[in-house]
């Protein structure tokens, strides 16, 4: 018989099965165990594994079988003492209930409650009543179900679902996308996830695994199902991981983590075709969730799903499904434990005096542990071993007639599924909400000890010995230095040009639209949602028709008024066609409405400024570049042995990855594409983005400079200086770095990229005129391609506006352009930029448009080489790039002092976060580590180094943060005694770098030398790498030459720029100094940030101090990379 003994659980109810006119079984007879389930379940491998472990001298097993269950009357079913019966598809639950009523066997899983499990709403209501966290949700019960839980919403019971672009409203409750739509029928596995327009929209349909697929993404489905009853719940971000938990009684829980089907739908399988799952350590809260679910739902053997969320320093677990009878698919230890506990429960129920005591592996309550201290133990049976290093053996008296020990009273053998009064399971009975229980793990994570040594999976005794040694840190390290953390700051990928159209209007329909959308207020409006944009499109179409009719009638208006009418009509057509070209999505266009005049008498708006913005979206090239970089990053930044490197660590939950971005669509999509390449994911980007990419308020402030008013003032000052300095009519070939004009421009070295650019430009004003002339020539060529001759006004009068459909455009020009852009739109894109670059009246250039010129010419060379304009574009590209190389770096500071000041202020929050990441990785704090492998299952895992963990933090942002972060690293503050963490030659190399292109990277890697003492600063060193990104020159004469140039997918190789043997302490001190200079005590932003961060910093410092005081790493040398 199986021999595993652990502290006792509460007593079991004495329950004696009787046949008609029969009597309870004698103490010496076998217990008859009946398995009443469909053959697919009752004859499955897990069931066979468990039943085979039951002692045949104690149990006689009868499997009813499909024929008996489906075709035989209940009265003819076998008579048994204990019944395992559970519902699955096709199972006649009503017949099983009749059988229990007739024979009265001891039932492991209550059949009546199995009916409750069939309705997901009842499950959620019961869990809420038990203090178990569930995702925020609402019911749309078209079948009349009445709920007393939060799913009822306002309690109106109207169940009218109102669908908006990015949220739904049911019974007064708004659920915003991404959200999950679950059928209320637990047998219906067609669960849908709907994504917000900011992530690209679409719907992922989840289903029961078919081959290697568990979900599919549909980009064009954005509306929820119109018939049936559903639960709508907020999507819970879980780092792309689900936790499946399995119970055997109230005091035993086994948890396994797996890749969530919400990520890419590909099922990870091992060499035997089994889905890859790994046992993870539970928290005390999760143990309590398991106890309450078992007792409340009266299911001894039960499975349920957990969603783990990191909320600050706290790990919060939401239960999103309870499945009833469920087995672990492939775990020898679980089979041992399950058989042991089922054996004891059945003995307690049917032959209580044959049982010495109860086992409860890893008990939740210490009261259980104290009970078993007087229970004698029996040595392990041959070939068996204790499943837990702290478990003493056994269990059963050799003589089944031996009386029960005095400390196991009959009262203790009552109510196996009845909660103890001193430990209630529902809020009504006095139970505390689960989230108020300790957040600690049930035992130390494996990172606290050295990596478990390689052990033979078939030799538990050897594993037990090696595992105990690993916990005491006796295993020697095979590598002295180990990678502990990777931190990267990355610019977004290639994007479409950003465009803007502005017009003043006073038409009553526009004014009425503003009053309606603004709800009578005076505020500016930003409109991105589908419904109001479509309404605005209808308004524009109506006004265009009116204006065109008016234009065709005789008018007494002056020529200027008529000219303005034609110009406005053209702009309205442009807006119409921008709104019509693609499906409306928050990712690709935005309308701003600003009131400019008010009627003081009526207090109504009398004039508006309409601003339409579009473009700036990640291109397919940018997506491909990010995906390629993600793959390279995986191979180059982490050890990459044949055994599986970072993918192996990630799939086995030893890689703690977090990706944070600003809220710009192109930045978020870049992050998702990078993650797709890095983790070898499949499918579309929206599900990956929602599952793995974070854009919380904190990270948006950290990675988006737009809200930093103080920095904005300094940046505007720099732009004003650039405007004056680069308008000069001077040949820079005639001056050197010693000249005042160079010094004023911040050029202090002949080796700087700006010095080289100025020398090549010679006279910047002459080059600006050349750029402007080239743009004019390009527009003329485009007009010729359109077949248009004459002025822009004549073109506007000609009248078709911009083409909304690709086929119409092809009929016009015969040319297909990137992303459906029409040839007319491309022409107007250049015409608007041409008109803004140079003001003929003032004779001045707007140098803030130079980066836009560079972006536009680069975009058309990369994406529209088939226009046949490469020669013109190439000339413009060379001039625009040289000019941009002069303008862009100076926007973040003209001289060194300004570069330091702007860098410290703009990157302060990011630098603080990087410093925090280094401290956490160095001290091995378990903060934000959601999934840790359970060492007690080590013997069954093909993993050599269970203790190995690596943290990765990826921050995706815009160009400004890369410039300013580099400036922080390069330039030491004047009053500081510290040195730059960068190597002297590296600083020179950065100075000579002309451009920080798309996907520029700054990467920090933290290494630990375990051979050095914990207090030795050289134990931890940091390596800083830099790449200027996708630097390939986009010179393609044709579409064929472009497609044959794979270099456009690549980024420049990372180069080490840090000083040799830069210690982590040195870098932390340098960051602290920079952070100090980034603070302005009187700044409103700083006061707000300090207030927000005060509590978080205090908790962080206390947590770090506690980890350091443990000195856990000193006794935990790491083994070599597996």
């Amino acid at each position: 018989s199986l021999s595993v003994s652990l502290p006792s659980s509460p007593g079991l109810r004495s329950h004696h099965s009787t046949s008609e006119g029969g009597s309870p079984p004698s103490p010496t007879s076998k217990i008859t165990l009946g398995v009443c389930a469909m053959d697919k379940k009752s004859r499955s491998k897990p069931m066979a594994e468990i039943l085979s472990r039951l002692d045949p001298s104690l149990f006689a097993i009868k499997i009813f079988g499909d024929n008996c269950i489906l075709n035989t009357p209940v009265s003819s079913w076998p008579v048994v003492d204990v019944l395992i019966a559970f519902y699955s598809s096709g199972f006649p639950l009503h017949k099983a209930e009749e059988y229990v009523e007739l024979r009265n066997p001891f039932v492991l899983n209550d059949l009546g409650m199995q009916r409750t499990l069939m309705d997901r709403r009842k499950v959620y209501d019961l869990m809420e009543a038990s203090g178990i966290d569930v995702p925020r949700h609402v019911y749309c019960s078209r079948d009349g179900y009445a709920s007393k839980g939060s799913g009822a919403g306002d309690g109106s019971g109207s169940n009218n679902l109102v669908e908006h672009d990015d949220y739904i409203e049911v019974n007064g409750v708004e659920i915003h996308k991404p959200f999950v739509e679950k059928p209320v029928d637990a047998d219906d596995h067609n669960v849908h996830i709907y994504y917000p327009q900011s992530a690209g929209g679409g719907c992922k349909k989840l289903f029961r695994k078919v081959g290697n697929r568990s979900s599919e993404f549909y980009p064009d489905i954005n509306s929820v199902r119109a018939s049936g009853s559903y639960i709508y719940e907020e999507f819970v971000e879980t780092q792309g991981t689900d936790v499946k938990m399995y119970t055997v009684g109230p005091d035993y829980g086994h948890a396994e983590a797996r890749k969530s089907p919400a990520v890419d739908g590909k099922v990870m399988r091992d060499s035997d075709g089994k889905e890859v799952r790994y046992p993870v350590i539970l928290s005390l809260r999760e143990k309590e969730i398991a106890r309450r679910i078992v007792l409340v739902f009266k299911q001894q053997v039960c499975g349920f799903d957990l969603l783990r969320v990191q909320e600050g320093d706290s790990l919060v677990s939401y239960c999103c499904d309870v499945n009833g009878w469920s087995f672990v698919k492939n775990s020898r230890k679980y089979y041992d434990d399950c058989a042991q506990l089922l054996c004891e429960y059945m003995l307690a129920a049917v032959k209580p005096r044959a049982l010495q005591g109860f086992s409860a592996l890893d008990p939740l309550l210490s009261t259980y542990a104290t009970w078993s201290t007087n229970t004698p133990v029996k040595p392990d049976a041959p070939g068996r071993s204790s499943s837990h290093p702290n478990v003493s053996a056994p269990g059963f008296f050799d003589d089944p007639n031996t009386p029960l020990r005095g400390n196991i009273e009959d009262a203790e053998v009552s109510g196996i599924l009845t909660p103890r009064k001193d430990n209630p399971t529902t809020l009504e009975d006095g139970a505390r909400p689960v989230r108020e229980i300790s957040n600690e793990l049930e035992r130390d994570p494996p990172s606290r000890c050295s990596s478990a040594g390689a052990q033979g999976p078939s030799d538990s005794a050897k594993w037990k010995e090696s595992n105990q040694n690993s916990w005491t840190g006796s295993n020697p390290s095979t590598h002295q230095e180990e990678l502990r953390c990777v931190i990267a700051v990355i610019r977004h990928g290639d994007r479409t040009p950003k465009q803007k159209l502005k017009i003043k209007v006073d038409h009553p329909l526009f004014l009425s639209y503003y009053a309606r959308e603004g709800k009578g207020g005076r505020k500016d409006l930003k409109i991105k949602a589908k419904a109001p944009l479509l309404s605005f499109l209808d308004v524009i179409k109506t006004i265009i028709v009116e204006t065109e009719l008016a234009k065709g009638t005789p008018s007494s208006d002056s020529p200027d008024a008529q000219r303005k009418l034609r110009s406005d009509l053209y702009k309205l057509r442009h807006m119409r066609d921008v709104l019509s070209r693609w499906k409306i999505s928050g990712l690709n266009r935005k309308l701003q409405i600003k009131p400019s005049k008010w009627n003081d008498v009526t207090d109504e708006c009398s004039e508006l400024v309409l601003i339409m913005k579009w473009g700036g979206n990640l291109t397919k090239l940018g997506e491909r570049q990010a995906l390629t970089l993600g793959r390279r990053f995986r191979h180059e930044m982490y050890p990459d042995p044949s055994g599986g490197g970072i993918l192996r660590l990630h799939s086995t939950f030893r890689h703690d990855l977090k990706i944070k971005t600003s809220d710009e669509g192109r930045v978020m999509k870049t992050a998702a594409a990078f993650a797709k390449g890095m983790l070898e994911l499949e499918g579309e980007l929206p599900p990956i983005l929602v599952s793995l990419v974070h854009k919380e308020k904190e990270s948006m402030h950290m990675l988006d400079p737009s809200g930093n008013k103080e920095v904005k003032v300094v940046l505007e000052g720099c732009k004003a200086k650039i405007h004056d300095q680069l308008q000069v009519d001077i040949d820079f070939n005639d001056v050197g770095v010693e000249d005042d004009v160079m010094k004023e421009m911040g050029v202090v070295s002949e080796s700087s990229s700006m010095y080289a650019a100025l020398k090549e430009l010679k006279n910047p004003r002459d080059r600006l005129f050349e750029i402007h002339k080239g743009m004019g020539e390009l527009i003329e060529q485009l007009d010729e391609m359109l077949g248009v001759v004459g002025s822009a006004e004549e073109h506007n009068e000609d009248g078709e506006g911009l083409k909304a459909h690709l086929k119409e455009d092809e009929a016009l020009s015969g040319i297909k352009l990137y992303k459906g852009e029409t040839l007319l739109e491309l022409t107007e894109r250049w015409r608007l930029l041409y008109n803004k670059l140079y003001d003929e009246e003032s004779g001045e250039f707007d140098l803030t448009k130079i980066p836009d010129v560079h972006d536009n010419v680069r975009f058309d060379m990369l994406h529209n080489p088939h226009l046949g304009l490469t020669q013109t574009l190439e000339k413009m590209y060379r001039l625009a790039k040289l000019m941009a190389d002069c303008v862009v770096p100076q926007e973040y500071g003209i001289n060194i002092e300004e570069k330091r000041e702007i860098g410290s202020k703009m990157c302060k929050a990011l630098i603080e976060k990087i410093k925090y990441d280094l401290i956490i990785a160095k001290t091995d704090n378990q903060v934000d580590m959601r999934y840790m492998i359970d060492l007690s299952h080590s013997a069954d895992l093909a993993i050599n180094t269970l203790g190995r963990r690596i943290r990765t933090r990826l921050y995706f942002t815009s160009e400004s943060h890369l410039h300013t972060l580099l400036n922080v690293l390069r330039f030491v503050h004047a009053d500081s005694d510290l040195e730059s963490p960068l190597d002297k030659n590296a600083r020179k190399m950065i100075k000579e770098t002309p451009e920080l292109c798309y996907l520029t990277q700054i990467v920090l890697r933290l290494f630990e030398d375990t051979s050095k003492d914990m207090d030795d600063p050289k134990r931890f060193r940091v390596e800083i790498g830099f790449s200027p990104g996708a630097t390939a020159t986009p010179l393609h004469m044709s579409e064929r030459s472009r497609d044959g140039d794979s270099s456009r997918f690549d980024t420049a190789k990372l180069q080490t720029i840090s000083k040799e043997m830069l210690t982590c302490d040195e870098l932390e001190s340098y960051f602290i100094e920079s952070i100090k200079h980034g603070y302005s005590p009187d700044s409103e932003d700083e006061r707000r940030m300090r207030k927000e961060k005060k509590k978080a910093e205090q908790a962080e410092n206390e947590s770090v101090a506690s980890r350091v005081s443990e000195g856990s790493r000193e006794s935990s040398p790491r083994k070599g990379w597996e």
Side-chain angles (χ1 to χ4, degrees), residues 1050-1068:
D1050 296 331
T1051 52
K1053 188 175 181 180
L1054 272 167
Q1055 300 182 58
T1056 301
I1057 59 174
S1058 53
K1059 296 188 301 186
E1060 190 173 354
M1061 293 306 298
L1062 173 67
T1063 69
C1064 190
D1065 286 350
E1066 288 176 322
L1067 186 59
E1068 287 175 29

Side-chain angles (χ1 to χ4, degrees), residues 881-892:
K881 186 179 188 315
L882 283 173
M883 206 71 209
D885 291 346
C886 293
V887 171
V888 175
Q890 290 194 102
E891 289 183 340
Y892 308 102

